[in-house]
Amino acid sequence: MALLDVPALMGPRVVAPPAAEFIVGVADRAEVEAYRQLRRDAFVDEQGLFEGTDRDELDDDPRAVVLVARAGGGVVGGVRLAPVGSEDIGWWTGSRLVVAPSARSALGVGSALVRAASALAEQLGVLRFDATVQVRSSVLFRRLGWEQTGRCVIGGVDHLRMRWPIDRHQRLVDATKSLLEAVLEPHTAWAASPDGSLGGAGWVGDDGAPVPGTDVVAACDAILPSMVERDPEWAGWCGVLVNVNDLSAMGAAPVGLLDAVAGRDAAFVRRVLAGVRRGAEAWGVPLLGGHTQVGVPAALSVTALGRTAHPVPGGGGRYGDALSLTVDVSGSWREGHHGSQWNSTEGRRSHELRDLAGAVARARPAAAKDVSMAGIVGTVGMLAEASGYGAVVDVASVPRPGGASSEVTPGDWLSCFPGFGMVTADRPGESRMHSPYAETAEIGELSLRRGVDLRWPDGEVTRAVGGGVTGLGPA
C-alpha cells in the first residue's frame, strides 16, 4: 500500500511562511525513534504531563502508523495513528502530536501533520477518527475542520475530545442515488395518482417493478460504459448478476433475460456477450434476445423478468425492526476494481448461486433490498427511506471478509458492491434469512431519525447519511 507524502505548504497562508520547507511522510524506524525523543522532551520534560515516559500500548501496536515532518535531514515533528481495540472496525485515533521547539516559530508544521493524518485515515478506510488535544491546541484543529465531542483531563491539564468529520458514505450516495428524485419527478411516491408512480403504490424505488395484473416482476440495469469498455466480459457477467439480485430481493424467481449491447466492432461485442451468456448459464436463466449495435461507444443494459405471487417490498419495514445483512464474504476484489467491487460470484458453482438467489423467497422478510453501488450503508438508507424511517447500523456487527486481519478495510467494505448482499428487515430476532454460502447477522434497526447513523462499541453514534438517499420518499 502506497501511503501519502504531503508537501508542507498547503492551503491559504495565514502567517509568514516557514523558514525552511519540510515534507510530511510515513516514518522509517530511525525516524520513529527521533519522533519518540521529541515526545519525551515535550510531554515528559517540558510539560510534565507524564512521569518518566509517555509510551503506551499504541507504541507497540504493529498497526500503528507514525507520520513525521522532515526538514534539513532531521525530524521536526510527528503524530501517530492507530485503530482502537483488537479488531479494526474503522475506528482510529490520532495522538501524540508534537513539534520540535526549533520549528514552532515557523508555523505550519503542526497543521501539516494534522492534515496529513486526516487524509491518511480516510485513505486507510477509517470511518471514525478521534483525537484528544490540549485546549490551547484546539484552535488549530477547529480551523482545520475538526469538531469537539467532549472534554477530559490528562496529567492535570484540560483536554478536548475532537473528531474529524468523514463523509465517505454521504459522498457515495450523492454520486449514485440522490439524483433520482429530480430525474424521475413527477413519477415518484409524490405523484398525483398512484398509477403515475414508478412501480405503483407501495413499490416506488424498489429493485424491480411488479407488472400490474400478473405475477411477473421486471427489472432493468445498465452497466457503466467505462466498465464495459475496460472489462467487457466482467461487464457482461455483472449485467446478469445485478438483475438476478434485483429479482431475488423481491423474492422472484428469474425466468428470462433481454440484453441491449453496443461496441466499437463485432469482436468487442462478442466479448461482452460472452460474459452475459456465461452469467445466464451460471444462474440458469434463459437469454431470450435483445438488441445489438456496432460502430458506437460501448454500452450494455440487461432486462430481467421473474415470477412471484407475493413480491417482497423494499419499503415494508416498521419502526424498531431489526436490520439483517446476508452477504457472501468469499472471493476477493475484482482486478482493476479494488475497493469498489467484491467478486464473490465468479468462484461459486451454479447451484450455489441459485441457492443464494432464492434466499429472500425462502425467508420472506418484511422488507428486502439488494446491496447496490451505494454500498451496505447506502442500501440500508434506501430500505429505511422506502419504509418511512431512518436506520442505525452497528459497525462491529457487520459480517466482513477475513475478519480483523483482512486487507479489506471497513470503509471499503461498507461502501463497495459485494457481489451478493441482501439487507432485510424483520421484528428483532425473527430474521429467517439463511444460505450455507453466505453469512447473516443483525446489524442494526430502523429508527425515527431520517438517514443512517453508525453506532460504535462505546455507544457513540456518528452520522453516515444525513437524510433520504434517493429523495423518492416512502414507498
Side-chain angles (χ1 to χ4, degrees):
M1 173 172 51
L3 300 181
L4 80 175
D5 273 354
V6 181
L9 304 180
M10 298 180 296
R13 208 177 265 147
V14 295
V15 294
E21 186 176 281
F22 59 91
I23 293 293
V24 174
V26 177
D28 60 27
R29 183 174 300 179
E31 290 172 332
V32 168
E33 289 307 314
Y35 159 67
R36 289 175 178 171
Q37 183 61 54
L38 287 178
R39 284 169 34 185
R40 284 191 292 272
D41 293 343
F43 303 135
V44 177
D45 299 336
E46 180 184 342
Q47 300 178 28
L49 291 175
F50 303 95
E51 184 176 347
T53 180
D54 73 325
R55 285 181 62 94
D56 61 16
E57 68 279 0
L58 294 186
D59 288 309
D60 299 318
D61 190 333
R63 302 168 299 172
V65 180
V66 173
L67 295 175
V68 293
R70 308 179 182 105
V75 172
V76 297
V79 67
R80 69 181 182 184
L81 301 78
V84 175
S86 60
E87 182 177 353
D88 178 8
I89 61 170
W91 175 16
W92 282 49
T93 61
S95 57
R96 300 295 196 269
L97 172 67
V98 65
V99 178
S102 62
R104 291 175 193 168
S105 60
L107 298 180
V109 175
S111 61
L113 285 165
V114 174
R115 292 185 193 212
S118 305
L120 179 56
E122 296 203 42
Q123 182 181 332
L124 294 173
V126 174
L127 297 173
R128 173 183 171 185
F129 189 41
D130 294 336
T132 302
V133 305
Q134 295 185 39
V135 173
R136 66 183 182 183
S137 301
S138 63
V139 174
L140 165 65
F141 280 76
R142 286 196 181 94
R143 179 166 59 84
L144 295 176
W146 286 64
E147 301 168 350
Q148 180 180 337
T149 61
R151 290 178 172 270
C152 63
V153 177
I154 299 176
V157 176
D158 289 335
H159 285 65
L160 300 182
R161 293 190 177 95
M162 306 196 78
R163 181 170 299 146
W164 174 246
I166 296 176
D167 62 351
R168 175 177 187 147
H169 297 296
Q170 186 67 60
R171 285 185 280 113
L172 179 61
V173 301
D174 287 347
T176 58
K177 299 297 180 179
S178 64
L179 55 86
L180 292 177
E181 178 184 20
V183 170
L184 299 178
E185 191 181 9
H187 303 290
T188 68
W190 311 112
S193 165
D195 294 333
S197 61
L198 291 173
W203 306 101
V204 173
D206 230 306
D207 299 289
V211 178
T214 75
D215 65 353
V216 176
V217 174
C220 182
D221 271 291
I223 304 300
L224 288 172
S226 60
M227 179 175 160
V228 181
E229 185 66 50
R230 184 172 71 251
D231 202 348
E233 290 90 348
W234 172 244
W237 174 271
C238 286
V240 177
L241 164 62
V242 295
N243 275 279
V244 170
N245 281 351
D246 283 348
L247 295 177
S248 298
M250 301 189 74
V255 297
L257 300 169
L258 298 165
D259 65 73
V261 60
R264 55 182 178 268
D265 53 37
F268 181 88
V269 170
R270 278 198 298 270
R271 293 178 65 189
V272 179
L273 288 176
V276 174
R277 292 193 186 99
R278 187 164 60 90
E281 291 171 0
W283 275 277
V285 189
L287 186 57
L288 304 176
H291 178 74
T292 307
Q293 202 167 2
V294 297
V296 295
L300 173 66
S301 64
V302 177
T303 297
L305 302 174
R307 301 187 70 174
T308 177
H310 304 286
V312 175
R318 296 173 291 169
Y319 172 63
D321 274 359
L323 297 172
S324 294
L325 174 66
T326 301
V327 62
D328 184 357
V329 298
S330 69
S332 61
W333 293 119
R334 171 69 181 180
E335 185 178 356
H337 302 276
H338 186 96
S340 62
Q341 294 186 29
W342 184 255
N343 185 8
S344 62
T345 54
E346 281 191 314
R348 288 291 185 193
R349 291 172 291 182
S350 183
H351 75 275
E352 295 172 338
L353 293 172
R354 297 180 197 186
D355 182 272
L356 289 166
V360 173
R362 294 192 300 269
R364 298 207 53 79
K369 293 283 287 185
D370 69 295
V371 180
S372 68
M373 295 306 292
I376 292 169
V377 169
T379 301
V380 165
M382 288 191 288
L383 185 150
E385 180 182 15
S387 299
Y389 299 104
V392 180
V393 172
D394 286 307
V395 182
S397 299
V398 176
R400 183 174 141 212
S405 62
S406 172
E407 293 183 359
V408 181
T409 71
D412 286 345
W413 183 244
L414 288 173
S415 58
C416 79
F417 172 67
F420 176 86
M422 294 285 166
V423 175
T424 58
D426 262 316
R427 292 282 87 185
E430 294 184 8
S431 174
R432 298 169 295 280
M433 289 292 290
H434 171 74
S435 170
Y437 312 112
E439 292 188 18
T440 296
E442 288 192 3
I443 63 167
E445 68 269 356
L446 293 178
S447 67
L448 295 177
R449 187 186 189 196
R450 293 183 68 236
V452 182
D453 291 318
L454 303 181
R455 186 162 54 209
W456 302 89
D458 64 345
E460 283 284 297
V461 171
T462 59
R463 198 74 166 141
V465 180
V469 173
T470 66
L472 299 179

